[in-house]
Amino acid sequence: MLKVDNLSVYYGGIHALKGVSIAVEEGQIVSIIGSNGAGKSTLLNTISGMVKRKGGSILYKGKEIPKLPYHIVKIGICQVPEGRLIFANLTVKENLMMGAYLRRDKEQIAKDLEKVYELFPRLLERLTQMAGTLSGGEEQMLAMGRGLMSNPDLILLDEPSLGLAPLLVKTIFEIIEDIKKLNKTILLVEQNAYKALSVADFGYVLEQGKVTKAGNAKELIQDKSILEAYLGKKEIQINL
């Protein structure tokens, strides 16, 4: 579904992505793990058209993606950004409808709203509430629901567990697996290496702008170098 080949991105004089190549098969969850500053969010922002690339290609369903972000949304790619970036001064429902801004299929929009309510029943309870008054976990649910309202085939999910309590992190990752069951493909960027790989089909390790490892997620999760780099012993014992 998605093929990124030899992608190069600069921020001023900083070479943020150095020949990055990844592939995402339809129906998969593909996770990208790495430390802060590795280039994970830059990769997603480049795919979604928010950051310009210096070189390389990005193919979606065999065709080069458009340059403008709203055209990228139109072809079936949406990004759920790091930090949620909800519209605090709009209600929960108004935020969800912003996700469908480019759509004109009113009947399907209504059906998709119902699906979002099924995935996130807490949002249904808070439809008329101002989004700025939600908890961090509820904001993340709203950001994911808003993304789904664009009716994407491919979802770019950036740090969904950031700043959330462990119990909410568990809930969010269960919902990610439920979203996959809706025939969605997910490219997930996440600092929680164990959680990211435990839900994924395939994984990549990004270090200093380069892909240093790639493989089946269940195999990567047993890789000693990955465990040592991204998981402390205490966390390994808790999760395994």
Side-chain angles (χ1 to χ4, degrees), residues 121-231:
R122 203 175 298 185
L123 296 183
L124 181 58
E125 297 168 5
R126 290 160 170 72
L127 283 184
T128 59
Q129 189 170 324
M130 299 304 287
T133 65
L134 298 177
S135 68
E138 290 164 348
E139 284 188 2
Q140 184 60 51
M141 293 175 188
L142 180 55
M144 292 166 71
R146 181 182 60 189
L148 285 169
M149 286 305 298
S150 69
N151 194 27
D153 292 323
L154 173 64
I155 302 170
L156 312 177
L157 197 49
D158 196 356
E159 300 285 6
S161 77
L162 188 67
L164 301 184
L167 190 59
L168 276 172
V169 171
K170 182 176 182 290
T171 300
I172 290 297
F173 275 88
E174 287 171 351
I175 292 169
I176 289 170
E177 292 183 285
D178 289 338
I179 290 172
K180 179 187 177 184
K181 293 172 186 173
L182 296 175
N183 298 318
K184 305 296 183 184
T185 304
I186 299 169
L187 179 58
L188 170 66
V189 155
E190 176 60 54
Q191 280 195 57
N192 188 327
Y194 179 81
K195 283 290 187 185
L197 293 175
S198 65
V199 299
D201 301 285
F202 201 85
Y204 292 89
V205 179
L206 202 58
E207 294 179 354
Q208 297 181 336
K210 294 181 179 180
V211 173
T212 56
K213 288 198 176 204
N216 180 284
K218 302 303 179 280
E219 293 174 3
L220 288 179
I221 211 169
Q222 301 297 333
D223 187 302
K224 287 185 179 180
S225 64
I226 291 175
L227 291 175
E228 289 171 3
Y230 302 108
L231 292 169

Side-chain angles (χ1 to χ4, degrees), residues 10-237:
Y10 284 83
Y11 280 128
I14 300 171
H15 199 175
L17 295 180
K18 307 166 185 174
V20 169
S21 297
I22 68 165
V24 181
E25 298 290 340
E26 187 172 355
Q28 285 188 335
I29 297 177
V30 173
S31 289
I32 300 179
I33 64 170
S35 59
N36 275 336
K40 306 186 302 297
S41 293
T42 299
L43 176 58
L44 293 196
N45 289 337
T46 307
I47 294 169
S48 65
M50 301 301 292
V51 172
K52 290 185 178 181
R53 57 189 133 132
K54 186 73 173 180
S57 63
I58 304 173
L59 300 180
Y60 177 66
K61 297 183 178 179
K63 296 180 180 179
E64 184 71 31
I65 64 167
K67 291 183 179 180
L68 296 177
Y70 73 92
H71 286 157
I72 293 172
V73 173
K74 275 189 169 183
I75 64 172
I77 300 174
C78 88
Q79 181 170 355
V80 179
E82 179 183 354
R84 275 81 84 171
L85 301 183
I86 59 163
F87 300 101
N89 60 336
L90 298 181
T91 67
V92 167
K93 186 169 184 181
E94 286 168 341
N95 267 269
L96 292 174
M97 293 307 295
M98 286 297 290
Y101 182 75
L102 295 176
R103 298 175 60 182
R104 297 293 178 266
D105 49 339
K106 290 184 178 180
E107 287 186 12
Q108 190 58 47
I109 288 172
K111 290 178 182 177
D112 288 344
L113 260 179
E114 292 302 318
K115 288 179 186 175
V116 168
Y117 298 155
E118 287 174 19
L119 276 171
F120 306 102
R122 203 175 298 185
L123 296 183
L124 181 58
E125 297 168 5
R126 290 160 170 72
L127 283 184
T128 59
Q129 189 170 324
M130 299 304 287
T133 65
L134 298 177
S135 68
E138 290 164 348
E139 284 188 2
Q140 184 60 51
M141 293 175 188
L142 180 55
M144 292 166 71
R146 181 182 60 189
L148 285 169
M149 286 305 298
S150 69
N151 194 27
D153 292 323
L154 173 64
I155 302 170
L156 312 177
L157 197 49
D158 196 356
E159 300 285 6
S161 77
L162 188 67
L164 301 184
L167 190 59
L168 276 172
V169 171
K170 182 176 182 290
T171 300
I172 290 297
F173 275 88
E174 287 171 351
I175 292 169
I176 289 170
E177 292 183 285
D178 289 338
I179 290 172
K180 179 187 177 184
K181 293 172 186 173
L182 296 175
N183 298 318
K184 305 296 183 184
T185 304
I186 299 169
L187 179 58
L188 170 66
V189 155
E190 176 60 54
Q191 280 195 57
N192 188 327
Y194 179 81
K195 283 290 187 185
L197 293 175
S198 65
V199 299
D201 301 285
F202 201 85
Y204 292 89
V205 179
L206 202 58
E207 294 179 354
Q208 297 181 336
K210 294 181 179 180
V211 173
T212 56
K213 288 198 176 204
N216 180 284
K218 302 303 179 280
E219 293 174 3
L220 288 179
I221 211 169
Q222 301 297 333
D223 187 302
K224 287 185 179 180
S225 64
I226 291 175
L227 291 175
E228 289 171 3
Y230 302 108
L231 292 169
K233 289 182 180 179
K234 184 178 179 182
E235 190 171 354
I236 294 170
Q237 290 169 355

